Amino acid sequence: MSDLTRRALLARLADGEATVNELAAPHPLTLPSVSRHLKVLEKAGLVTKTRTAQWRSCRLNPSSLPAMDQWMVPYRQFFESRLDGLDKHLMIGPSPNYTSDNLMERDDVSDTN
């Protein structure tokens, strides 16, 4: 799910069934590249493909989404705690002892080591 193209393909399929050509149209990728992305999603159980004559249609497999959501729980908890910490840091603001001059001094010291 880290790939932007795969997320975009899933988002499009959430709107309904589509052919590989329809899925590929908005992306600057070749059809074989889109097919490889779809193959990954198919292996993960997120997408199912059907073939009618020369057309290959794809559809979202919603029954696999709860398993994916469960897999993401620890990552979601990790990032939510990090974002909460960032929010607190931004609300407090920088330390009064912190200046851009201090940063320059630290950079000068690190360059000589």
Side-chain angles (χ1 to χ4, degrees):
M1 292 311 309
S2 64
D3 190 277
L4 294 173
T5 301
R6 291 184 196 135
R7 289 197 307 258
L9 293 172
L10 289 174
R12 167 55 187 88
L13 290 172
D15 292 335
E17 189 173 299
T19 65
V20 174
N21 285 337
E22 291 169 337
L23 291 169
H27 302 284
L29 301 171
T30 63
L31 281 175
S33 293
V34 172
S35 290
R36 282 192 292 274
H37 283 292
L38 289 169
K39 187 66 143 176
V40 170
L41 294 171
E42 191 176 18
K43 284 183 178 181
L46 298 169
V47 169
T48 57
K49 285 188 202 175
T50 58
R51 185 175 183 156
T52 307
Q54 74 270 23
W55 303 107
R56 292 177 188 252
S57 294
C58 301
R59 75 171 51 110
L60 187 63
N61 181 12
S63 66
S64 63
L65 294 177
M68 184 179 76
D69 184 57
Q70 188 62 34
W71 177 81
M72 292 176 62
V73 167
Y75 300 102
R76 189 177 301 117
Q77 291 169 343
F78 172 79
F79 284 109
E80 284 175 355
S81 69
R82 297 289 188 221
L83 291 174
D84 289 343
L86 176 61
D87 188 42
K88 287 177 188 174
H89 175 74
L90 293 174
M91 295 298 280
I92 294 170
S95 166
N97 297 328
Y98 176 80
T99 66
S100 59
D101 293 336
N102 292 358
L103 180 61
M104 293 301 291
E105 290 171 11
R106 289 187 75 193
D107 287 343
D108 292 341
V109 171
S110 65
D111 288 342
T112 59
N113 290 334

